[in-house]
Short mmCIF file of all heavy atoms in Angstrom, two decimals:
data_model
loop_
_atom_site.label_atom_id
_atom_site.label_comp_id
_atom_site.label_asym_id
_atom_site.label_seq_id
_atom_site.Cartn_x
_atom_site.Cartn_y
_atom_site.Cartn_z
N LEU A 254 -26.78 -24.56 -2.40
CA LEU A 254 -25.81 -25.09 -1.44
C LEU A 254 -26.49 -26.06 -0.47
O LEU A 254 -25.92 -27.09 -0.11
CB LEU A 254 -25.16 -23.94 -0.67
CG LEU A 254 -24.09 -24.35 0.34
CD1 LEU A 254 -22.94 -25.07 -0.36
CD2 LEU A 254 -23.56 -23.14 1.09
N GLY A 255 -27.71 -25.72 -0.05
CA GLY A 255 -28.43 -26.62 0.85
C GLY A 255 -28.70 -27.97 0.21
O GLY A 255 -28.54 -29.02 0.84
N LEU A 256 -29.08 -27.95 -1.08
CA LEU A 256 -29.35 -29.21 -1.78
C LEU A 256 -28.08 -30.04 -1.92
O LEU A 256 -28.08 -31.25 -1.65
CB LEU A 256 -29.94 -28.91 -3.16
CG LEU A 256 -30.25 -30.11 -4.05
CD1 LEU A 256 -31.29 -30.99 -3.38
CD2 LEU A 256 -30.75 -29.64 -5.41
N PHE A 257 -26.97 -29.39 -2.35
CA PHE A 257 -25.72 -30.12 -2.51
C PHE A 257 -25.24 -30.69 -1.17
O PHE A 257 -24.87 -31.87 -1.08
CB PHE A 257 -24.65 -29.21 -3.09
CG PHE A 257 -23.27 -29.83 -3.11
CD1 PHE A 257 -22.91 -30.73 -4.10
CD2 PHE A 257 -22.35 -29.54 -2.12
CE1 PHE A 257 -21.66 -31.31 -4.11
CE2 PHE A 257 -21.09 -30.11 -2.12
CZ PHE A 257 -20.74 -31.00 -3.12
N THR A 258 -25.25 -29.85 -0.14
CA THR A 258 -24.73 -30.30 1.15
C THR A 258 -25.61 -31.38 1.75
O THR A 258 -25.11 -32.32 2.38
CB THR A 258 -24.63 -29.10 2.12
OG1 THR A 258 -24.02 -28.01 1.45
CG2 THR A 258 -23.80 -29.47 3.33
N THR A 259 -26.92 -31.27 1.58
CA THR A 259 -27.82 -32.32 2.08
C THR A 259 -27.49 -33.65 1.41
O THR A 259 -27.36 -34.68 2.08
CB THR A 259 -29.28 -31.94 1.81
OG1 THR A 259 -29.58 -30.71 2.46
CG2 THR A 259 -30.21 -33.02 2.35
N GLY A 260 -27.40 -33.63 0.09
CA GLY A 260 -27.06 -34.87 -0.62
C GLY A 260 -25.71 -35.42 -0.21
O GLY A 260 -25.54 -36.63 -0.02
N PHE A 261 -24.72 -34.52 -0.06
CA PHE A 261 -23.38 -34.95 0.33
C PHE A 261 -23.39 -35.59 1.71
O PHE A 261 -22.82 -36.67 1.93
CB PHE A 261 -22.46 -33.73 0.31
CG PHE A 261 -21.01 -34.04 0.53
CD1 PHE A 261 -20.19 -34.37 -0.54
CD2 PHE A 261 -20.45 -33.99 1.80
CE1 PHE A 261 -18.85 -34.65 -0.34
CE2 PHE A 261 -19.12 -34.28 2.00
CZ PHE A 261 -18.32 -34.61 0.93
N VAL A 262 -24.05 -34.94 2.66
CA VAL A 262 -24.07 -35.44 4.04
C VAL A 262 -24.87 -36.74 4.13
O VAL A 262 -24.43 -37.71 4.76
CB VAL A 262 -24.65 -34.36 4.98
CG1 VAL A 262 -24.93 -34.94 6.36
CG2 VAL A 262 -23.70 -33.19 5.09
N VAL A 263 -26.04 -36.76 3.51
CA VAL A 263 -26.88 -37.96 3.59
C VAL A 263 -26.16 -39.15 2.97
O VAL A 263 -26.16 -40.25 3.54
CB VAL A 263 -28.23 -37.71 2.89
CG1 VAL A 263 -28.99 -39.01 2.69
CG2 VAL A 263 -29.07 -36.74 3.71
N ALA A 264 -25.52 -38.96 1.83
CA ALA A 264 -24.82 -40.06 1.18
C ALA A 264 -23.68 -40.57 2.05
O ALA A 264 -23.51 -41.79 2.23
CB ALA A 264 -24.28 -39.61 -0.19
N SER A 265 -22.87 -39.65 2.62
CA SER A 265 -21.73 -40.10 3.44
C SER A 265 -22.21 -40.80 4.70
O SER A 265 -21.62 -41.81 5.12
CB SER A 265 -20.85 -38.89 3.80
OG SER A 265 -21.57 -37.96 4.58
N VAL A 266 -23.29 -40.30 5.31
CA VAL A 266 -23.81 -40.94 6.52
C VAL A 266 -24.35 -42.33 6.22
O VAL A 266 -24.08 -43.30 6.95
CB VAL A 266 -24.90 -40.05 7.17
CG1 VAL A 266 -25.65 -40.83 8.24
CG2 VAL A 266 -24.28 -38.80 7.77
N LEU A 267 -25.12 -42.46 5.14
CA LEU A 267 -25.71 -43.76 4.82
C LEU A 267 -24.65 -44.77 4.39
O LEU A 267 -24.78 -45.97 4.69
CB LEU A 267 -26.76 -43.59 3.72
CG LEU A 267 -28.05 -42.88 4.14
CD1 LEU A 267 -28.97 -42.71 2.95
CD2 LEU A 267 -28.75 -43.64 5.25
N VAL A 268 -23.63 -44.31 3.67
CA VAL A 268 -22.55 -45.23 3.27
C VAL A 268 -21.86 -45.80 4.51
O VAL A 268 -21.60 -47.01 4.61
CB VAL A 268 -21.55 -44.51 2.35
CG1 VAL A 268 -20.28 -45.34 2.21
CG2 VAL A 268 -22.17 -44.28 0.99
N LEU A 269 -21.56 -44.93 5.47
CA LEU A 269 -20.90 -45.40 6.69
C LEU A 269 -21.83 -46.30 7.51
O LEU A 269 -21.42 -47.37 7.98
CB LEU A 269 -20.45 -44.21 7.53
CG LEU A 269 -19.75 -44.55 8.86
CD1 LEU A 269 -18.49 -45.38 8.61
CD2 LEU A 269 -19.40 -43.28 9.63
N ALA A 270 -23.10 -45.88 7.67
CA ALA A 270 -24.04 -46.68 8.46
C ALA A 270 -24.27 -48.04 7.83
O ALA A 270 -24.35 -49.06 8.53
CB ALA A 270 -25.36 -45.93 8.59
N THR A 271 -24.35 -48.10 6.51
CA THR A 271 -24.54 -49.39 5.83
C THR A 271 -23.29 -50.25 5.94
O THR A 271 -23.37 -51.48 6.10
CB THR A 271 -24.91 -49.16 4.36
OG1 THR A 271 -26.05 -48.30 4.29
CG2 THR A 271 -25.24 -50.46 3.67
N GLY A 272 -22.12 -49.62 5.86
CA GLY A 272 -20.87 -50.38 5.99
C GLY A 272 -20.74 -51.04 7.35
O GLY A 272 -20.15 -52.13 7.46
N LEU A 273 -21.28 -50.41 8.39
CA LEU A 273 -21.20 -50.99 9.73
C LEU A 273 -22.18 -52.16 9.91
O LEU A 273 -22.17 -52.80 10.96
CB LEU A 273 -21.48 -49.91 10.78
CG LEU A 273 -20.39 -48.83 10.91
CD1 LEU A 273 -20.86 -47.70 11.80
CD2 LEU A 273 -19.11 -49.45 11.46
N ARG A 274 -23.03 -52.42 8.92
CA ARG A 274 -24.03 -53.48 9.03
C ARG A 274 -23.65 -54.69 8.17
O ARG A 274 -24.52 -55.52 7.85
CB ARG A 274 -25.40 -52.97 8.60
CG ARG A 274 -25.93 -51.84 9.44
CD ARG A 274 -27.18 -51.22 8.83
NE ARG A 274 -28.26 -52.19 8.71
CZ ARG A 274 -29.43 -51.93 8.11
NH1 ARG A 274 -29.63 -50.74 7.59
NH2 ARG A 274 -30.36 -52.86 8.04
N ARG A 275 -22.40 -54.80 7.78
CA ARG A 275 -22.03 -55.88 6.87
C ARG A 275 -22.32 -57.26 7.47
O ARG A 275 -22.75 -58.17 6.77
CB ARG A 275 -20.55 -55.78 6.50
CG ARG A 275 -20.17 -54.53 5.74
CD ARG A 275 -18.74 -54.58 5.27
NE ARG A 275 -18.54 -55.58 4.23
CZ ARG A 275 -18.73 -55.38 2.94
NH1 ARG A 275 -19.15 -54.20 2.51
NH2 ARG A 275 -18.51 -56.34 2.07
N ARG A 276 -22.10 -57.41 8.77
CA ARG A 276 -22.35 -58.71 9.39
C ARG A 276 -23.85 -59.04 9.35
O ARG A 276 -24.25 -60.17 9.04
CB ARG A 276 -21.87 -58.71 10.83
CG ARG A 276 -21.93 -60.06 11.48
CD ARG A 276 -21.35 -60.03 12.86
NE ARG A 276 -21.31 -61.35 13.47
CZ ARG A 276 -20.92 -61.59 14.70
NH1 ARG A 276 -20.48 -60.60 15.46
NH2 ARG A 276 -20.92 -62.82 15.18
N GLU A 277 -24.70 -58.04 9.67
CA GLU A 277 -26.14 -58.25 9.61
C GLU A 277 -26.59 -58.56 8.20
O GLU A 277 -27.42 -59.46 7.98
CB GLU A 277 -26.84 -56.98 10.12
CG GLU A 277 -28.36 -57.02 9.94
CD GLU A 277 -28.99 -55.65 10.10
OE1 GLU A 277 -28.35 -54.76 10.70
OE2 GLU A 277 -30.10 -55.47 9.59
N LEU A 278 -26.05 -57.82 7.21
CA LEU A 278 -26.43 -58.06 5.83
C LEU A 278 -25.96 -59.44 5.35
O LEU A 278 -26.65 -60.13 4.60
CB LEU A 278 -25.85 -56.97 4.93
CG LEU A 278 -26.34 -55.54 5.20
CD1 LEU A 278 -25.60 -54.53 4.33
CD2 LEU A 278 -27.84 -55.44 4.98
N GLY A 279 -24.77 -59.85 5.82
CA GLY A 279 -24.29 -61.19 5.48
C GLY A 279 -25.19 -62.26 6.07
O GLY A 279 -25.43 -63.31 5.43
N LEU A 280 -25.70 -62.03 7.28
CA LEU A 280 -26.61 -62.99 7.90
C LEU A 280 -27.91 -63.10 7.09
O LEU A 280 -28.44 -64.21 6.87
CB LEU A 280 -26.92 -62.57 9.33
CG LEU A 280 -27.84 -63.48 10.13
CD1 LEU A 280 -27.27 -64.88 10.25
CD2 LEU A 280 -28.10 -62.89 11.52
N LEU A 281 -28.42 -61.96 6.63
CA LEU A 281 -29.62 -61.99 5.80
C LEU A 281 -29.37 -62.72 4.49
O LEU A 281 -30.24 -63.44 3.99
CB LEU A 281 -30.11 -60.56 5.52
CG LEU A 281 -30.66 -59.79 6.73
CD1 LEU A 281 -30.99 -58.35 6.35
CD2 LEU A 281 -31.91 -60.49 7.27
N ARG A 282 -28.18 -62.54 3.94
CA ARG A 282 -27.83 -63.27 2.71
C ARG A 282 -27.78 -64.77 2.98
O ARG A 282 -28.23 -65.58 2.16
CB ARG A 282 -26.49 -62.78 2.17
CG ARG A 282 -26.53 -61.40 1.59
CD ARG A 282 -27.15 -61.38 0.19
NE ARG A 282 -26.20 -61.91 -0.78
CZ ARG A 282 -26.41 -62.94 -1.58
NH1 ARG A 282 -27.57 -63.59 -1.51
NH2 ARG A 282 -25.50 -63.34 -2.44
N ALA A 283 -27.23 -65.14 4.15
CA ALA A 283 -27.16 -66.56 4.50
C ALA A 283 -28.54 -67.16 4.68
O ALA A 283 -28.74 -68.36 4.46
CB ALA A 283 -26.33 -66.74 5.78
N LEU A 284 -29.52 -66.31 5.07
CA LEU A 284 -30.89 -66.79 5.27
C LEU A 284 -31.70 -66.78 3.98
O LEU A 284 -32.89 -67.10 3.99
CB LEU A 284 -31.60 -65.94 6.33
CG LEU A 284 -31.03 -66.05 7.75
CD1 LEU A 284 -31.75 -65.09 8.67
CD2 LEU A 284 -31.17 -67.49 8.26
N GLY A 285 -31.06 -66.37 2.86
CA GLY A 285 -31.74 -66.45 1.58
C GLY A 285 -32.12 -65.13 0.95
O GLY A 285 -32.76 -65.11 -0.12
N ALA A 286 -31.77 -64.03 1.57
CA ALA A 286 -32.11 -62.73 0.98
C ALA A 286 -31.30 -62.51 -0.29
O ALA A 286 -30.09 -62.75 -0.32
CB ALA A 286 -31.85 -61.61 1.99
N THR A 287 -31.93 -62.05 -1.32
CA THR A 287 -31.24 -61.77 -2.58
C THR A 287 -30.62 -60.37 -2.53
O THR A 287 -31.02 -59.53 -1.73
CB THR A 287 -32.22 -61.85 -3.75
OG1 THR A 287 -33.22 -60.82 -3.59
CG2 THR A 287 -32.90 -63.21 -3.81
N PRO A 288 -29.64 -60.10 -3.40
CA PRO A 288 -29.08 -58.74 -3.45
C PRO A 288 -30.15 -57.68 -3.71
O PRO A 288 -30.10 -56.59 -3.14
CB PRO A 288 -28.07 -58.82 -4.59
CG PRO A 288 -27.67 -60.27 -4.63
CD PRO A 288 -28.89 -61.03 -4.26
N GLY A 289 -31.11 -57.99 -4.58
CA GLY A 289 -32.17 -57.03 -4.84
C GLY A 289 -32.99 -56.75 -3.60
O GLY A 289 -33.41 -55.61 -3.36
N ARG A 290 -33.23 -57.79 -2.81
CA ARG A 290 -34.01 -57.60 -1.58
C ARG A 290 -33.25 -56.70 -0.61
O ARG A 290 -33.85 -55.82 0.03
CB ARG A 290 -34.26 -58.98 -0.94
CG ARG A 290 -35.01 -58.92 0.39
CD ARG A 290 -36.45 -58.46 0.20
NE ARG A 290 -37.16 -58.41 1.46
CZ ARG A 290 -37.78 -59.46 2.02
NH1 ARG A 290 -37.77 -60.63 1.39
NH2 ARG A 290 -38.41 -59.33 3.16
N LEU A 291 -31.93 -56.90 -0.48
CA LEU A 291 -31.14 -56.04 0.40
C LEU A 291 -31.15 -54.59 -0.09
O LEU A 291 -31.26 -53.66 0.70
CB LEU A 291 -29.70 -56.56 0.49
CG LEU A 291 -29.49 -57.93 1.13
CD1 LEU A 291 -28.01 -58.25 1.20
CD2 LEU A 291 -30.10 -57.97 2.54
N ARG A 292 -31.04 -54.44 -1.40
CA ARG A 292 -31.05 -53.07 -1.95
C ARG A 292 -32.38 -52.39 -1.66
O ARG A 292 -32.43 -51.23 -1.26
CB ARG A 292 -30.76 -53.12 -3.44
CG ARG A 292 -30.65 -51.72 -4.07
CD ARG A 292 -30.39 -51.78 -5.56
NE ARG A 292 -29.06 -52.29 -5.84
CZ ARG A 292 -28.80 -53.46 -6.41
NH1 ARG A 292 -29.81 -54.25 -6.76
NH2 ARG A 292 -27.58 -53.85 -6.64
N ARG A 293 -33.47 -53.11 -1.86
CA ARG A 293 -34.78 -52.52 -1.60
C ARG A 293 -34.97 -52.21 -0.12
O ARG A 293 -35.62 -51.23 0.25
CB ARG A 293 -35.89 -53.47 -2.09
CG ARG A 293 -35.99 -53.54 -3.61
CD ARG A 293 -37.25 -54.27 -4.02
NE ARG A 293 -37.25 -55.66 -3.60
CZ ARG A 293 -36.75 -56.66 -4.31
NH1 ARG A 293 -36.19 -56.41 -5.49
NH2 ARG A 293 -36.79 -57.90 -3.87
#
Side-chain angles (χ1 to χ4, degrees):
L254 182 61
L256 179 61
F257 172 80
T258 314
T259 301
F261 187 87
V262 169
V263 168
S265 63
V266 168
L267 289 177
V268 167
L269 179 59
T271 305
L273 291 171
R274 298 171 61 185
R275 296 187 68 87
R276 187 176 184 184
E277 173 195 340
L278 297 175
L280 181 59
L281 292 175
R282 289 282 285 122
L284 294 176
T287 63
R290 177 68 180 274
L291 295 183
R292 184 181 291 112
R293 288 191 296 272

